[in-house]
Amino acid sequence: TENAMNAASIAQVHRAKRRTGDDVVIKILRRGITRTFDQDVSDYLSLLGMYESATGTPVKWMMEWAMEELKKEIDFRWEADLHEDCARFINSKSELRGRLTVPILHSELCTKRILVMEYIDGCKITKAPEFFEDWNYARDLPAMHEALETW
C-alpha cells in the first residue's frame, strides 16, 4: 500500500521509472487473492447447489460459467491481451487515432500477477469533459460511443 496511486479489492497500482528511463505504472495483484477467490467461488457454488436441491431450479451451471469468466480478472495476462486488442482497435479507426490513447504495454514485464504499462497523465474516460479544456461534446462524444460500442 505504500505509495500506491490507486488500490482496489484485487490489486494496487504504483508509479515507477524503468532503468530505461520510461515512466510506467505497475498493477500488482494482491497476495493471496487467487486463494481467496477460489474459496469464495467454492462457497458460492455450494450455496447454489443447496438452492438447486431445495427448489429443483438448475442455476449452478450458469454460475460455474460466470465464475470461470470472472477468474480471468485475476490473470493479468488476459488483461494484457485485451489491452493490446483495444490499442489495435483504436489505431485502426482514423476518427479515434490521436484522440483516444491506450498506454503502451510493456508486455515483456507482464505476468499473471503484474501488468506494466506506460504512465500517461490522464483521467477516467467518464471524466474527460472535466479534464480536457478542448473537450467538444458534438465532436468527441460520438467518437467515444463508437469506440465503446464497436470494441
Side-chain angles (χ1 to χ4, degrees):
T1 58
E2 187 176 327
N3 301 325
M5 290 177 59
N6 203 340
S9 59
I10 68 165
Q12 290 184 340
V13 178
H14 297 267
R15 189 169 175 184
K17 187 175 283 286
R18 290 191 63 181
R19 289 184 185 139
T20 60
D22 294 331
D23 286 321
V24 296
V25 291
I26 304 170
K27 184 175 179 181
I28 304 169
L29 194 67
R30 289 187 185 274
R31 183 172 285 134
I33 196 69
T34 302
R35 184 175 47 257
T36 301
F37 180 85
D38 289 343
Q39 184 61 53
D40 289 350
V41 167
S42 176
D43 292 347
Y44 187 63
L45 291 175
S46 293
L47 289 172
L48 286 176
M50 288 186 264
Y51 174 83
E52 280 186 357
S53 295
T55 66
T57 305
V59 292
K60 191 174 175 184
W61 68 269
M62 181 176 55
M63 294 314 298
E64 287 170 340
W65 173 83
M67 293 302 148
E68 283 303 310
E69 289 300 304
L70 276 173
K71 190 176 251 188
K72 293 176 183 176
E73 294 293 321
I74 57 175
D75 184 343
F76 291 158
R77 295 171 299 190
W78 180 77
E79 187 171 335
D81 289 343
L82 287 179
H83 186 103
E84 290 181 327
D85 288 348
C86 181
R88 277 190 294 276
F89 174 80
I90 297 287
N91 288 326
S92 74
K93 302 290 183 186
S94 61
E95 64 275 16
L96 301 175
R97 196 176 321 115
R99 292 172 63 200
L100 292 177
T101 301
V102 177
I104 296 168
L105 189 69
H106 293 250
S107 56
E108 73 280 8
L109 300 175
C110 296
T111 68
K112 184 176 180 166
R113 296 191 67 235
I114 296 172
L115 189 70
V116 181
M117 67 184 77
E118 167 190 28
Y119 172 78
I120 296 177
D121 186 26
C123 67
K124 290 183 178 181
I125 200 164
T126 56
K127 299 286 186 184
E130 301 164 27
F131 190 82
F132 297 102
E133 292 177 16
D134 64 342
W135 179 263
N136 178 301
Y137 272 97
R139 177 195 69 207
D140 298 330
L141 199 59
M144 279 183 27
H145 278 266
E146 182 182 344
L148 295 172
E149 291 294 322
T150 307
W151 187 68

